[in-house]
Structures are given as structure tokens and as C-alpha cells.
Amino acid sequence: TGLMTMADGRADVPGLENLKSEQTYSNGVGNKNDDSKVITDDEFQRRTERLEVWLKRNGARFHKVTINRYADEGRDLKTKSSLEKGEEAIFIPRKCIIAISDGKRSKVGQAIRKETSGWISNHTYLAVRILTEKTLGKQSFFYPWLEVLPTDYAEQGMPQYWNEKQRRELEFTKTLGKTDGVLENIHEMWNKIKNVSVVKDSEWTLEDFKWARFTVLTRTFGCTEHGAAETMMVPLADMANHDFTRPTRWDYNDKKTGFTVRVVRDVGKDQMLTDTYGNKGNDSFLPVYGFCVEQNNWNQARLALPLKNINGLDVPGLDSLHISKCAYDYNDGKHKYIDVSCDTQASGSSRGGKELFSYARAIVLSKPELEALPSLESNSSLEPISAENEIRALSLIKEKADVQLKKFRTTYEEDLEILRDEKQAPKFSWFRNAVLAR
């Protein structure tokens, strides 16, 4: 079963033999609804010390880094002393890492591959791998890591746990659709694996699987191992919080057989050691990680545009205009949807602007403009045609933006006023995140 039976490096972790696993786990899985399970600061400190001992005794190096707790379910990394540019901050050996390939090789993973048909997400294999280890309790090689992981993703702020009143604050946003999409995928995967013999024998529930999937979703690293793409869960490194201007870079090092984190600039003592979760808008951060960034230039809006030229013209190649991944492209039979970032200009932007203007120019073409236009090549972009066409394109974009804005119960200016009042919208609260996400 891959790494499941590894025992070296576990038995000599101080204090582990005296810890009762039922204080934190129910059937090997955290109980998010029981307030009595909240971990005290002293207990959390003991757990982080056990994690650090376990990592070091298995070959990890992080002499200048420590774990910090700032809320019941909040963790981050801080420096104990200064780090110089290029210095290795963290090294985690492969034996302390759980990867997709480990999940697929495990007993549960092999059973899933044998007894199911159709697509099974890679995150599902990681999730059942984590659940297997958590069910083993103190017998798991990974137990010192598992006991410091979040147990309550409602407390983490994940909108999949919001009630209907809270969800209404996200009406007409991309965020709500992505939130539901994540949950739908979890349910879909659970329905595919729940009748697998090993899964049935485990007595895991949907709630257990949700916990595991959110654990995977919020703390994986995309790496390359021996030339093949891999997704890994890496203890300690997974506690770094997000910052677009992070001072770190990480990768998996085949020669060292482990995961390394280095700093690309000097970092002083008692500073947060951060990573970036990607160049994403809050519509991705909230449903995937449970937070929003206050000033986020990667935010996007979704515009619903006509499927055909508004003058009734047949524009050859209209459906094959270039659309990048970040711009999204969806046709529901009524509209074509394109996502654009808040820095969109007529010259384009890094996220959807070029695609929006290219498509808008095409659907407002007049007959003389179309006749003078060379045929559109597949995966091409339509550059500015004339001042008149550009004005019509801008007018159409404004019209469609106004339609979207009128759906919201508050205006953009009213939301800015709400955000200025931290009593009404406290930092990191679900309500503030909802306002930021819309």
C-alpha cells in the first residue's frame, strides 16, 4: 500500500504515546460541529512541536522557520532568524510527502481504479489516501502532520458551508457558480467511489470525504518528479499563506529526493514566509481557499454577449476567434460569456481584455466593414478596424456591463462604503469576503 505501512520516524516522537486520538477525531476524521474539539493554544503548540520533531527525525530541514497560529483554524509560517537571498528555507524529504501517485498505488486507490469506470479526479486519489492515514490515527506514519491540519472548513470560511442568507450576498457572481461547482464535483466523485469495496468497509461518510477533498484542494503543489507531472501534499510548506509578491520559490528536487523552498530576496527575522496561490481573482480564491484579497487586480467580471452579429450579418470565423483559458468561453445557446479582468483596456489585458474587444468588434461589424475585412483565421484576434467600429464595440460592452451591474442589490460605490466600515464588515469575515468577491 505504498507509504501506508511506514513506521520509522514515528514511535520516538515525544508526547505522541500519551495523546488520545479521540480528542480530535471521530472515526479517524475531525468533527467540525463539536465545539469541545477546539484545540487550545497550548495543545496546538505541543502538536506543532511533535510535527517539527517528526519532520527533523525523517530528514527535513527548516532551521529558521516555525509554525504560527493566529486563529482556531489559522496557521502560517514565520522566520525565527533572517534568511539571505538564495538560501534554502525548507527541505521536506519525499518520505514525508503524499502525492497522487501514492494514492493511486494504495490499496484504496487500486480498488477504485479496478471497480469504477469513467473519469476519477486526481484529487480524489489524494483524498482517499489522506483519509486512510487519518483513519489509522496514531498508527499512521503521517500522524504528527495530520493532527495539525484544519478540522473545520466552515471555520476556514469555505463558502460551500454558507447558509442561504450568506449565499444571497454572492448572487450573480462568478464566485457562487464556482462554489457550487466545487461541491458538485465532490458529490460526483463520492457517488462514484462510495460503493467501492474498500471504501464501504472503511465506513467513511460524505462529510469525511468532503473534509479530505477540501484538505487536498487547499494545500497541494504542482511539481515534476522524475520528469513526470505530479501533485504533492507537503507538510510545513503547506502552511505558507498567500502573497502575490511572495519571497519564496519552490520545486521538487529529484537529486535531493525532496521538496525545497528557497527565498529569492532577503527576509528578516519574525517575518511571514509566504507563497503565492496563483494569479487568481477573488472568484477563485474564495471557493477554493476560503479568503479574498483586499486589492486584487486579477479579479474578473463575466459579460454575456450576443451569439451573432447585431446587424444580422454572417461573420465567417466568428466562433473560432481566439479565447484564452483565463478569459473563459461558454455558450449556453443564448449568450456567449467572456471573463475580463478589472484592468481591461481596448488594447487588451492579461486576462480577457483582448478577447472581449476582439469579439465585440466582430459582432458590431457593419456590412461595408465586413466586406472590406479579410476572412478571420482560426484562433486569431480581430484588431481595431475603425474609430466608428471601436465606438460601437465600446457602447455594446457598456450596455452589457450595465445589465450585469443592475442585477446586484448594492452598487459598486455602496460596496466600497461597506468595506470602509470594518465594524460592519470586519476583516476576514464571511460578509467582507462576500462583498470583495462581488
Side-chain angles (χ1 to χ4, degrees):
T1 56
L3 299 174
M4 188 181 300
T5 58
M6 294 176 67
D8 54 306
R10 183 189 68 239
D12 55 355
V13 176
L16 190 57
E17 69 281 357
N18 297 320
L19 184 66
K20 296 181 180 179
S21 60
E22 58 265 29
Q23 289 180 342
T24 307
Y25 304 122
S26 172
N27 189 30
V29 180
N31 184 339
K32 72 181 185 67
N33 294 316
D34 189 343
D35 292 338
S36 67
K37 310 299 183 186
V38 174
I39 303 170
T40 65
D41 287 341
D42 287 344
E43 175 59 20
F44 183 81
Q45 182 62 33
R46 286 191 288 271
R47 294 185 184 195
T48 57
E49 288 173 358
R50 286 192 288 267
L51 172 63
E52 291 177 355
V53 168
W54 171 72
L55 286 170
K56 289 176 180 177
R57 290 190 175 174
N58 282 286
R61 299 186 296 270
F62 49 96
H63 310 299
K64 298 183 178 182
V65 178
T66 189
I67 302 168
N68 178 56
R69 185 194 197 194
Y70 56 88
D72 286 345
E73 295 292 346
R75 299 111 165 90
D76 62 19
L77 299 178
K78 283 196 172 181
T79 56
K80 294 191 290 186
S81 56
S82 61
L83 289 160
E84 295 183 0
K85 179 180 178 180
E87 187 175 353
E88 180 185 270
I90 298 173
F91 171 78
I92 305 296
R94 180 61 173 87
K95 67 188 295 186
C96 295
I97 294 170
I98 295 178
I100 287 172
S101 56
D102 304 325
K104 289 182 176 180
R105 287 196 301 266
S106 70
K107 181 179 178 181
V108 182
Q110 291 182 48
I112 289 173
R113 301 179 84 178
K114 182 179 179 180
E115 299 178 33
T116 62
S117 60
W119 177 72
I120 299 293
S121 71
N122 283 332
H123 278 192
T124 294
Y125 289 105
L126 273 175
V128 296
R129 185 73 178 81
I130 288 291
L131 275 178
T132 300
E133 294 296 335
K134 201 166 186 182
T135 303
L136 288 172
K138 289 186 293 181
Q139 299 307 308
S140 169
F141 169 74
F142 296 98
Y143 188 69
W145 174 27
L146 297 174
E147 67 170 342
V148 300
L149 291 176
T151 59
D152 186 346
Y153 285 99
E155 178 70 20
Q156 286 277 85
M158 302 300 290
Q160 289 82 1
Y161 291 96
W162 289 9
N163 59 38
E164 285 305 312
K165 180 180 178 181
Q166 292 171 313
R167 284 170 54 85
R168 279 196 293 273
E169 297 295 338
L170 294 176
E171 276 185 318
F172 311 115
T173 66
K174 290 173 57 185
T175 306
L176 189 58
K178 288 187 177 183
T179 295
D180 292 342
V182 168
L183 202 55
E184 287 166 7
N185 179 261
I186 291 174
H187 282 259
E188 178 189 359
M189 290 300 106
W190 175 248
N191 287 332
K192 283 190 172 185
I193 72 168
K194 66 182 181 182
N195 291 319
V196 171
S197 55
V198 182
V199 176
K200 289 177 70 175
D201 292 343
S202 72
E203 298 185 356
W204 295 332
T205 66
L206 172 60
E207 287 304 310
D208 298 336
F209 184 64
K210 282 171 64 177
W211 171 85
R213 279 294 302 269
F214 281 123
T215 299
V216 171
L217 189 66
T218 56
R219 52 205 334 109
T220 52
F221 297 86
C223 304
T224 299
E225 184 178 18
H226 303 305
E230 183 63 279
T231 299
M232 297 180 169
M233 298 184 68
V234 186
L236 193 70
D238 63 356
M239 295 187 186
N241 277 343
H242 165 77
D243 183 358
F244 286 126
T245 60
R246 48 130 182 208
T248 60
R249 297 294 184 273
W250 50 261
D251 63 8
Y252 182 82
N253 190 308
D254 288 327
K255 291 183 178 180
K256 293 184 176 181
T257 318
F259 185 92
T260 62
V261 179
R262 294 185 177 277
V263 293
V264 294
R265 61 176 183 266
D266 292 347
V267 180
K269 180 182 178 182
D270 296 326
Q271 299 298 306
M272 284 183 62
L273 196 66
T274 56
D275 183 25
T276 178
Y277 298 177
N279 294 330
K280 301 180 177 76
N282 288 332
D283 59 285
S284 292
F285 282 137
L286 186 57
V288 176
Y289 301 105
F291 69 84
C292 285
V293 175
E294 291 282 331
Q295 302 295 328
N296 191 344
N297 290 330
W298 295 95
N299 285 335
Q300 288 181 295
R302 179 163 295 167
L303 293 181
L305 301 167
L307 291 175
K308 298 181 179 180
N309 180 277
I310 62 174
N311 295 314
L313 303 176
D314 180 18
V315 181
L318 180 63
D319 293 334
S320 61
L321 285 173
H322 171 72
I323 297 288
S324 62
K325 282 185 178 180
C326 64
Y328 186 73
D329 179 24
Y330 176 65
N331 178 344
D332 65 358
K334 297 179 181 179
H335 299 95
K336 182 184 183 74
Y337 297 91
I338 297 180
D339 291 354
V340 292
S341 60
C342 57
D343 66 344
T344 291
Q345 301 174 16
S347 59
S349 74
S350 56
R351 290 172 66 84
K354 188 172 186 178
E355 291 88 342
L356 172 66
F357 277 88
S358 175
Y359 186 77
R361 290 167 189 140
I363 59 175
V364 299
L365 282 168
S366 66
K367 187 174 181 180
E369 289 169 344
L370 178 60
E371 291 174 346
L373 190 70
S375 60
L376 297 176
E377 297 181 3
S378 178
N379 205 35
S380 64
S381 297
L382 186 57
E383 300 299 327
I385 299 166
S386 66
E388 293 78 10
N389 178 273
E390 203 74 0
I391 290 170
R392 292 197 301 274
L394 283 166
S395 297
L396 178 74
I397 292 169
K398 181 181 184 303
E399 174 191 330
K400 299 307 177 184
D402 287 341
V403 169
Q404 294 296 101
L405 288 170
K406 287 177 182 177
K407 294 178 180 179
F408 293 93
R409 291 180 289 115
T410 55
T411 66
Y412 175 69
E413 291 74 20
E414 288 170 338
D415 277 354
L416 290 179
E417 189 63 33
I418 290 171
L419 293 174
R420 280 190 284 269
D421 184 356
E422 292 190 16
K423 289 185 178 180
Q424 182 181 3
K427 291 280 189 179
F428 311 116
S429 66
W430 74 265
F431 180 59
R432 189 177 190 86
N433 281 338
V435 176
L436 288 168
R438 70 192 183 208

